[in-house]
Amino acid sequence: MLMYLIFPALGVVAGFVAGLLGLGGGVVMVPALCVILPWFGFTTEMTIHVAIGTSMAIVCINQVAAVLAHRKYFTALEWRTLAKRLWPGIITGAVVGALLAHSLPAKALTLGFGVLVILLAINVAFDASRRGSNSTLEVPWALPNVYWGSFWCAIMGGFSAILGLGGGAFMVPYLQHYQVPMAKSISGAAMSGLPLALMATLTYMLLGSGHTTPLAGSLGYVYLPAFFGIVITSMIFVRVGVKLSHHLSSKLLRVLFILFLLFVGIRMLFF
């Protein structure tokens, strides 16, 4: 039973990172679960799919807590505008991404996870050096139109669902590109990550039915002991991360965002 305590400990880290950097916690949970799940009887081929599915289920809960904590930093008009511009593409991409992940081999998923996370870190670093830091919210109305924006959001939602991320790893750089301040980009990522995680989780539950049934506690590609163990602490610490994110400078948050993505990406390349 002591082994199961590792899940609440992981929840502390995942929740804090989700709130601080807007990453939904998936960047922490997927690599960690890839190491932990074999201890509970999961095969190598099954581990990455269950890690991603479980991560998305936990991201759902984390994002609810993050959205509630972030909502005071946006006006009602800003929330509605972001939802209109981001949600249609995000939801579509989430379902398509989960379907693709189900058919991909484990090695391709782990390598893809590592490479894309590293590329994201490099993109954020170069984008920041080109633009410098911004301090005022000039958008969401400066975002692309609904159709063009939905196209890119579908791609981001698809990759997020394939890799078990909450959307922040892609959405924060996307919003930053359109001059949204770092702290509000994190808030917007949390808001867009909720429908993404919900749709991806439902899809992973359905796709995993029959594949993980021999292992007790599995609901499709969602491993319930990990889900409940991590959620217990992540819901608390996501609020801690949110509060801290609005007290740190945009430059420091960006540096932390880049370093964390690089660390996780390199780790997954050698998984």
Side-chain angles (χ1 to χ4, degrees), residues 75-148:
T75 66
L77 176 61
E78 289 168 342
W79 278 115
R80 287 196 298 271
T81 304
L82 279 174
K84 180 181 178 181
R85 297 294 179 90
L86 304 178
W87 283 15
I90 283 287
I91 291 171
T92 303
V95 176
V96 174
L99 289 169
L100 288 173
H102 174 63
S103 62
L104 290 174
K107 191 62 177 177
L109 283 174
T110 53
L111 287 176
F113 188 105
V115 170
L116 283 173
V117 168
I118 290 172
L119 289 176
L120 278 169
I122 294 171
N123 177 70
V124 174
F126 276 95
D127 196 49
S129 66
R130 286 195 303 268
R131 295 183 295 101
S133 111
N134 53 74
S135 59
T136 58
L137 181 65
E138 301 176 12
V139 287
W141 31 88
L143 291 173
N145 64 54
V146 174
Y147 302 105
W148 184 242

Side-chain angles (χ1 to χ4, degrees), residues 7 10-15 17-18 23-37 47-48 50-52 54-62 113 163-166 226-227 230-231 234 260 264 268:
F7 295 128
L10 176 57
V12 171
V13 180
V17 170
L23 291 170
V27 173
V28 177
M29 289 181 288
V30 172
L33 288 174
C34 283
V35 174
I36 296 168
L37 289 176
T47 292
I48 183 66
V50 175
I52 292 172
T54 303
S55 171
M56 294 309 302
I58 296 164
V59 167
C60 283
I61 307 300
N62 280 351
F113 188 105
L163 303 177
L165 305 178
F227 170 78
I230 293 171
V231 160
S234 66
F260 190 80
V264 171
M268 286 301 285

